[in-house]
């Protein structure tokens, strides 16, 4: 039985989607398949691929306006902004305020049905809020992330620019396919680079 | 902020939903909060409660006929039968044959969109089949279950009669509520004992 990945394996490896950090939390141990000579823990690629699919499938079950995606670092903010533009999913960037999902008196109060976290180290508050309201939490988790309150973990490099671009590119594409908005990968008119933070001036 | 559980905490404790086994697999470690004097590992109750909710919410996003629930032991078979009768979800009991989700030439071929496992020790084949087809896998997992290929773990005692009855009772009730088929717990016209395997003759 051949099992195809969402994208050619080399493209995954090239952006280092499987390259973790030098820190391993107990919860992330199960997704680590080895430690590299330089001390970096490596994540299991088939699991990354499968979880990205499962996450996209689950998200596609919801109305995009009922999903909130959080991002707090420059590379994830850029990738998530593109992802949101394409899918219609809501974005929360920067500091999430206590009460945003739990206090109806707040002006910024929202009631998501599903929360998707880019990095729970910086987006802890959103995880807590979701957990208080029993909203399912999907999260990108690197080898050093603590996974308390995360319901569905997508093990991956959630720090690198190219890794994050590829992750949100694939999630957007699969989301549209699962929703039936596009029929095949060919109809997805975006490039991975559209999801990248522009960090340098381009020579013209 | 008060956080209510799905059912009175004492009812959970009474059926031993949190009482695991004397074996702890690496993947289940994170859900264990202590070991009892007699050597049994105990599972964290708030997590059990939260995951039951999250699982019911996720299931409710699907058409019941696209969900398959597996059961292989007498107590789970009885509980799942009732669960299926109420929700319309499909059941697979006993031995799951290789190819059932993957080989369209089989007479018993089905293509679930979501698979729910009662005990992956005995229902390994269903987990594998689901994983091959990238179908999300939710599973009841006791402290001794291996969690490979499980996407959403519901930590719990998945062996006891009363624990299993309560689990499937709550899942059925929450499923109907999430689907909007009943408005409150009061409208759920079943008792936990309806989900129990009848193991003895009743005196009349």
């Amino acid at each position: 039985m051949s099992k195809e990945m969402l994208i050619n394996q080399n493209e995954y490896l090239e952006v280092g989607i499987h390259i973790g950090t030098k820190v391993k939390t107990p919860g992330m141990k199960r997704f680590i398949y080895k430690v590299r000579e330089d001390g970096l823990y490596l994540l299991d690629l088939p699991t990354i691929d499968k979880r990205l699919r499962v996450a996209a499938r689950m998200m596609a079950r919801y109305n995009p306006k009922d999903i909130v995606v959080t991002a707090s670092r420059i590379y994830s903010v850029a990738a998530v902004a593109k992802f949101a533009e394409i899918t219609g999913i809501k974005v929360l960037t920067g500091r999430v305020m206590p009460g945003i999902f739990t206090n109806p008196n707040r002006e910024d109060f929202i009631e998501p049905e599903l929360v998707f976290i880019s990095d729970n180290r910086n987006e802890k508050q959103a995880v807590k809020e979701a957990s208080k309201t029993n909203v399912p939490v999907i999260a990108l988790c690197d080898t050093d992330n603590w996974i308390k309150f995360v319901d569905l973990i997508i093990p991956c490099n959630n720090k690198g620019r190219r890794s994050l671009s590829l992750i949100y590119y694939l999630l957007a594409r699969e989301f549209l396919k699962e929703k039936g908005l596009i029929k095949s990968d060919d109809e997805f008119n975006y490039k991975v680079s559209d999801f990248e933070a522009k960090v340098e001036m381009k020579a013209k």
Side-chain angles (χ1 to χ4, degrees), chain A:
Chain A
M1 199 211 63
S2 80
K3 183 158 167 180
E4 279 196 15
M5 292 200 173
L6 286 172
I7 201 160
N8 188 294
Q9 179 165 325
N10 293 333
E11 293 186 63
Y12 271 139
L13 299 177
E14 217 177 275
V15 304
I17 199 172
H18 64 307
I19 299 176
T21 69
K22 291 188 178 174
V23 176
K24 149 174 89 167
T25 60
M28 288 304 293
K29 221 165 150 183
R30 60 179 280 221
F31 301 111
I32 293 170
Y33 82 97
K34 77 167 191 179
V35 53
R36 219 164 62 169
E37 269 178 29
D38 58 3
L40 288 173
Y41 290 106
L42 300 184
L43 294 158
D44 178 59
L45 191 55
T47 308
I48 295 173
D49 182 76
K50 195 210 160 186
R51 287 288 172 97
L52 284 171
R53 283 178 200 263
V54 166
R57 283 190 166 191
M58 285 190 167
M59 281 196 274
R61 293 280 160 176
Y62 292 75
N63 191 323
K65 69 170 185 43
D66 292 330
I67 306 178
V68 162
V69 184
T70 65
S72 51
R73 306 212 294 191
I74 178 161
Y75 299 150
S76 58
V77 167
V80 161
K82 193 71 190 177
F83 175 70
E85 176 198 317
I86 296 169
T87 58
I89 287 172
K90 275 189 200 160
V91 181
L92 276 182
T93 52
R95 197 165 140 68
V96 170
M97 303 304 286
I100 189 167
F101 303 159
T102 50
N103 180 358
N105 297 321
R106 287 190 62 93
E107 213 171 278
D108 56 1
F109 176 66
I110 44 174
E111 286 185 286
E113 299 280 324
L114 186 68
V115 171
F116 190 100
I117 305 284
S118 298
D119 184 348
N120 64 11
R121 179 186 304 260
N122 305 293
E123 295 143 34
K124 244 190 250 113
Q125 189 59 36
V127 178
K128 272 193 212 161
E129 297 270 322
S131 187
K132 279 182 192 167
T133 49
N134 295 303
V135 168
V137 175
I138 304 177
L140 305 181
C141 292
D142 211 326
T143 61
D144 61 343
N145 279 111
W146 288 87
I147 55 169
K148 202 169 177 194
F149 304 129
V150 176
D151 299 308
L152 183 73
I153 294 165
I154 305 177
C156 63
N157 170 353
N158 67 359
K159 296 174 181 62
R161 179 166 57 101
R162 295 180 65 208
S163 174
L164 282 163
S165 319
L166 181 59
I167 287 165
Y168 281 104
Y169 166 89
L170 291 174
L171 287 172
R173 192 187 75 187
E174 294 308 300
F175 183 86
L176 295 190
K177 270 180 3 203
E178 289 290 331
K179 280 273 187 202
L181 297 170
I182 58 172
K183 286 198 189 63
S184 69
D185 295 351
D186 298 338
E187 290 181 30
F188 188 65
N189 294 321
Y190 300 92
K191 298 186 302 294
V192 177
S193 60
D194 294 338
F195 292 73
E196 278 182 26
K198 301 295 172 281
V199 284
E200 13 177 38
M201 300 293 285
K202 277 187 189 151
K204 295 217 174 184

